[in-house]
Amino acid sequence: MVGKQDKAPQLSIFDTPLKRFINLEHELCILSHQIDWDSIEEEFSVYYSETGRPSVPIRRMVGLLLLKHIYTLEEHFTQTEYLTESKPKTGIVDRGYKGKKKINGTEIISPSVPKNETTQYQKQKARKQFRARAGIEPVISHIKYDHRMLRNYLKGVIGDQLNTILAGTGYNLKKMLNRIKEQILFDLIQILSLGKLLFFKDKVPKNSRLFKV
């Protein structure tokens, strides 16, 4: 069933229209006004069933596909170079990536079957890189839902920056506390084990073979 997007939603007292926050002169806003969305929805609607649960609106899905093709890895690398003042040497992508293997001097690598001449060290290094790449999305999810980055209640651009920094700080503090807790538990186990060993040693006769070398 085709999901419909409300073109004139009724806002509550706490809702604010998105157009008050975005730049209406941005290239994407101008492009959205030039696309005939009604004809696109009419063309795609024939592939949907008449019954069932409403789907994601067609305009949203088409818009996401357009963003995927407009903003590619090249734009991401340019932004990264601008923000960090350094050019990335390697970009790690998932298995579904089918694009270029090298973009403006940056090597693009993805998980694949290693070659016969690949050494064990190279395999372990690549596996570590891919695991780090796969671990990013769960971290983002935890920061969103467990550290309140899903919705920002602070005002303005500075508020967005502060909310992101505070959410990341909270996540890092939690990791530090978990490490401290693990270290304390490890030390307690070592102390208890040593105490039991000394207690057992006192109970065993000195001439016993247990403590003789």
Side-chain angles (χ1 to χ4, degrees), residues 11-183:
L11 301 177
S12 67
I13 190 173
F14 300 105
D15 292 333
T16 304
L18 181 63
K19 62 183 180 180
R20 295 187 183 180
F21 294 95
I22 62 177
N23 180 15
L24 298 179
E25 300 299 327
H26 191 273
E27 55 186 5
L28 292 178
C29 292
I30 298 175
L31 177 62
S32 67
H33 292 299
Q34 295 178 351
I35 296 176
D36 188 0
W37 296 106
D38 293 332
S39 64
I40 292 178
E41 291 182 357
E42 184 178 355
E43 292 288 338
F44 278 87
S45 61
V46 297
Y47 299 102
Y48 289 81
S49 173
E50 296 292 336
T51 59
R53 182 179 178 182
S55 67
V56 177
I58 295 175
R59 175 170 178 172
R60 185 181 303 175
M61 292 192 298
V62 174
L64 291 174
L65 289 173
L66 286 174
L67 288 176
K68 181 179 179 180
H69 288 279
I70 293 174
Y71 293 100
T72 58
L73 279 176
E74 187 173 357
E75 281 74 19
H76 287 297
F77 289 147
T78 302
Q79 184 181 21
T80 302
E81 185 176 357
Y82 173 77
L83 294 175
T84 62
E85 297 182 354
S86 61
K87 188 174 183 178
K89 297 181 180 179
T90 306
I92 303 175
V93 296
D94 56 22
R95 293 182 183 272
Y97 178 76
K98 302 298 181 183
K100 300 178 181 178
K101 297 299 183 181
K102 201 167 188 180
I103 299 177
N104 295 334
T106 302
E107 183 183 3
I108 309 300
I109 58 177
S110 61
S112 59
V113 179
K115 300 179 180 179
N116 295 330
E117 59 270 18
T118 305
T119 63
Q120 188 65 27
Y121 171 76
Q122 292 174 335
K123 292 179 182 179
Q124 293 178 353
K125 183 178 179 181
R127 191 179 297 112
K128 185 177 180 180
Q129 290 177 328
F130 296 140
R131 286 179 177 176
R133 158 66 175 77
I136 293 175
E137 293 183 3
V139 169
I140 295 174
S141 179
H142 283 304
I143 294 177
K144 282 184 177 181
Y145 291 96
D146 298 337
H147 299 280
R148 299 187 178 184
M149 202 177 74
L150 185 64
R151 185 171 182 179
N152 180 26
Y153 295 92
L154 305 179
K155 183 179 179 181
V157 177
I158 299 298
D160 295 337
Q161 296 173 354
L162 290 175
N163 186 63
T164 305
I165 293 173
L166 291 174
T169 303
Y171 177 79
N172 290 332
L173 287 175
K174 184 178 179 181
K175 287 181 63 178
M176 291 176 61
L177 291 175
N178 289 336
R179 290 177 181 175
I180 293 173
K181 181 175 67 175
E182 292 175 357
Q183 185 63 42

